[in-house]
């Protein structure tokens, strides 16, 4: 896991070569920030940065092999390593001498740390250079974290800022803000500032300071609706309207949540587990976890709600009058 590598870096255990791969940009950026902080005397402005779509790899190796000037150790970031993919579009622009890179990896410079960044979903594992760099580099896979990993990551982020999350508060923050790491990092920073960078985070604090995403509010709205908590449904609905959300969009999002509940219900009946359901539906496992923690209505009740929402959607698109009231009446009637 990426947090384990971060812990090693923070302890000063900085290796000569890193390979950062994956599409979770926040994890890529955070790893580089931690390396900058860990290299003695290094600042962001002193990092040697190369774009391998514009510069050949041999230029990077030349700088890596040069003796550092005014610093004891150099940090080099080489981004867009497209030669690690199946289709290397950079070949048209640059003549990368990959044989030099292969030899260099066997004996990298002792006075430099080189970070190769390949921000792609998948690398070509059949390529000789891919096998070589994975063998000699510390590989950081910046992939979307799963539910438990995200809560662990939140707790680690809080610790880095001098504040403390327990499992319950970390999961509540996820319920409020979703699973986007950049958004969560921003909220952790906000909470740390409020606590003056010391102390424990509690549920009340998160409710007061953290802004809910529209998607999470719609989840709360749908959850309260299907559980016949009518007063709560109406309160959340009015909050969304005050925030500028349109009834037609909300009806569509509620219908999407109900469809998801139907799919989860059907797959659970077939014996699917949380991760299998998330993979099948191509959604984040944490969304599945939230649904599985709740008692969902019977399938026929969900199907009727979906049919009613289709009628509401048609009315909102084709009739005049108080559009806000049409969806409000649907929520008031409950299931």
């Amino acid at each position: 896991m990426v947090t384990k590598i971060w812990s090693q870096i923070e302890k000063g255990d900085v290796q000569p070569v890193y390979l950062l791969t994956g599409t979770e940009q926040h994890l890529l950026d955070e790893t580089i920030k931690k390396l900058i902080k860990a290299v003695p005397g290094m600042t962001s402005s002193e990092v040697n940065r190369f774009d391998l779509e514009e510069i050949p790899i041999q230029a990077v190796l030349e700088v890596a092999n040069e003796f550092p000037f005014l610093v004891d150790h150099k940090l080099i970031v080489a981004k867009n390593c497209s030669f690690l993919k199946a289709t290397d579009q950079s070949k048209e622009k640059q003549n990368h001498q990959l044989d030099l890179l292969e030899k260099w990896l066997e004996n990298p410079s002792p006075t430099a740390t080189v970070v190769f960044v390949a921000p792609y979903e998948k690398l070509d594992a059949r390529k000789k250079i891919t096998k070589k760099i994975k063998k000699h580099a510390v590989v950081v896979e910046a992939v979307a974290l799963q539910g438990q990993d995200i809560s662990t990551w939140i707790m680690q982020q809080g610790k880095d800022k001098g504040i403390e999350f327990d499992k319950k508060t970390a999961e509540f923050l996820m319920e409020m803000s979703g699973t986007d790491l950049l958004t969560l990092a921003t909220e952790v920073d906000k909470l740390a500032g409020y606590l003056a960078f010391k102390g424990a985070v509690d549920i009340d604090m998160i409710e007061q300071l953290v802004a809910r995403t529209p998607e999470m509010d719609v989840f709360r709205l749908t959850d309260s609706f299907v559980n016949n908590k009518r007063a709560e449904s109406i309160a959340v609905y009015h909050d969304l309207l005050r925030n500028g959300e349109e009834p037609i969009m909300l009806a569509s999002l509620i219908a999407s949540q109900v469809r998801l509940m139907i799919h989860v219900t059907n797959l659970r009946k077939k014996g699917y587990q949380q991760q299998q359901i998330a993979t099948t539906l191509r959604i984040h496992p944490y969304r599945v976890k939230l649904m599985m923690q709740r008692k969902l209505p019977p399938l026929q009740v969900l199907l009727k709600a979906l049919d009613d929402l289709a009628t509401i959607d048609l009315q909102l698109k084709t009739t005049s009058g108080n559009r806000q009231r049409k969806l409000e009446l649907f929520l008031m009637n409950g299931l």
Side-chain angles (χ1 to χ4, degrees), residues 247-248 251-252 255 259 303-319 323 326-327 330:
I248 191 168
S252 175
R259 277 193 296 271
L303 290 170
K304 182 182 182 303
L306 192 60
D307 186 60
D308 291 342
L309 282 163
T311 302
I312 294 291
D313 181 69
L314 181 61
Q315 291 175 350
L316 290 172
K317 291 176 179 177
T318 59
T319 61
R323 302 173 71 200
K326 294 181 187 299
L327 186 55
F330 167 76

Side-chain angles (χ1 to χ4, degrees), residues 7 42 55 148 155 164 264 291 325 332:
S7 178
M42 183 60 60
I55 302 295
Q148 183 62 44
M155 289 187 276
E164 181 183 345
V264 170
M291 287 192 177
R325 186 66 174 166
M332 288 177 65

Side-chain angles (χ1 to χ4, degrees), residues 152-309:
T152 301
W153 178 84
I154 290 172
M155 289 187 276
Q156 180 62 49
Q157 288 288 295
K159 185 179 179 181
D160 291 345
K161 303 292 181 181
I163 62 175
E164 181 183 345
F165 286 88
D166 59 21
K167 185 177 180 181
K168 184 178 179 180
T169 51
E171 291 188 348
F172 186 70
L173 179 59
M174 290 167 63
E175 286 192 40
M176 291 280 285
S177 296
T179 56
D180 178 72
L181 296 186
L182 184 57
T183 300
L184 288 169
T186 301
E187 298 300 344
V188 171
D189 286 345
K190 185 192 300 180
L191 290 163
Y194 178 79
L195 285 168
F197 303 96
K198 61 181 180 179
V201 177
D202 59 39
I203 298 294
D204 290 340
M205 198 181 302
I206 295 173
E207 285 185 327
Q208 292 174 20
L209 296 176
V210 174
R212 286 185 174 90
T213 63
E215 293 78 13
M216 296 309 291
D217 266 337
V218 169
F219 179 86
R220 287 179 60 230
L221 173 60
T222 309
D223 184 57
S224 58
F225 169 72
V226 299
N227 287 288
N228 283 314
K229 298 177 181 178
R230 301 179 188 184
E232 183 179 332
S233 297
I234 298 303
V236 177
Y237 177 57
H238 286 166
D239 283 343
L240 287 163
L241 291 177
R242 280 192 290 271
N243 288 334
E245 306 296 345
E246 289 292 330
I248 191 168
M249 185 274 289
L250 293 176
S252 175
L253 289 176
I254 294 170
S256 176
Q257 287 288 336
V258 172
R259 277 193 296 271
L260 186 56
M261 290 178 180
I262 292 170
H263 290 313
V264 170
T265 299
N266 281 328
L267 291 173
R268 288 185 75 178
K269 285 182 178 179
K270 294 179 180 180
Y272 283 53
Q273 300 301 310
Q274 178 182 318
Q275 186 59 51
Q276 291 174 299
I277 294 173
T279 301
T280 302
L281 299 179
R282 296 183 179 180
I283 60 174
H284 200 284
Y286 189 69
R287 291 183 65 191
V288 178
K289 179 182 177 181
L290 289 178
M291 287 192 177
M292 293 179 71
Q293 286 176 341
R294 291 157 170 79
K295 184 179 179 181
L296 297 180
L299 189 60
Q300 62 270 24
V301 175
L302 292 172
L303 290 170
K304 182 182 182 303
L306 192 60
D307 186 60
D308 291 342
L309 282 163

Side-chain angles (χ1 to χ4, degrees), residues 52-53 80-94 96 98 118-127 129-130:
L52 294 179
E53 290 183 352
N80 296 325
C81 299
S82 57
F83 51 78
L84 298 174
K85 295 196 300 179
T87 303
D88 181 6
Q89 298 176 345
S90 71
K91 282 185 177 179
E92 299 177 3
K93 294 183 179 181
Q94 300 300 328
H96 293 301
L98 298 181
Y120 316 117
E121 187 173 347
K122 192 174 182 180
L123 304 183
D124 189 346
R126 300 167 299 176
K127 283 187 172 182
I129 186 59
T130 305

